[in-house]
Amino acid sequence: MNIELGLLHDGGVMMVSDRPLPDIVCRVEYYRDQRLFMLVYYDEELDEDLMHYEVPALMTNRVEASPNIMIYSLFPNHEPIGYRVPLVQVGGLY
């Protein structure tokens, strides 16, 4: 699965996936010290999904200033899925 970050016209943060996620995301946790995202799903039986790449340095200010994130899945033979979820900051100084 490929995940890309982008900015919306209103300055919000968007995460785009090229495949469906295992379930609807209820929140995204941002680990400031490691600059990593973790996806937390509504289905509590699913494991949380730690993204294995660092948020690019030029995106960190936008991510740290955002109270939410837009999740968007775009993949062949299916309607796009998009929704906004809370972005929870973990670690670091505020």
Side-chain angles (χ1 to χ4, degrees):
M1 169 178 0
N2 289 321
I3 301 278
E4 296 290 330
L5 289 180
L7 294 176
L8 299 168
H9 291 293
D10 66 1
V13 178
M14 176 174 60
M15 180 183 291
V16 180
S17 168
D18 66 347
R19 286 193 227 159
L21 298 171
D23 190 38
I24 300 296
V25 175
C26 69
R27 73 177 179 273
V28 174
E29 295 177 355
Y30 175 62
Y31 290 84
R32 298 176 90 168
D33 296 340
Q34 295 94 1
R35 295 191 350 236
L36 296 175
F37 284 127
M38 181 173 305
L39 305 180
V40 180
Y41 300 106
Y42 274 106
D43 184 345
E44 294 176 2
E45 292 185 18
L46 289 173
D47 290 331
E48 296 168 342
D49 201 359
L50 182 65
M51 303 283 93
H52 294 286
Y53 72 92
E54 288 185 4
V55 171
L58 28 111
M59 290 283 296
T60 57
N61 286 340
R62 294 291 184 124
V63 168
E64 291 175 4
S66 183
N68 52 51
I69 190 166
M70 182 73 160
I71 305 287
Y72 197 72
S73 295
L74 183 63
F75 41 94
N77 303 320
H78 196 282
E79 290 293 316
I81 299 168
Y83 51 96
R84 191 176 304 269
V85 298
L87 177 58
V88 177
Q89 310 282 329
V90 179
L93 298 174
Y94 289 92

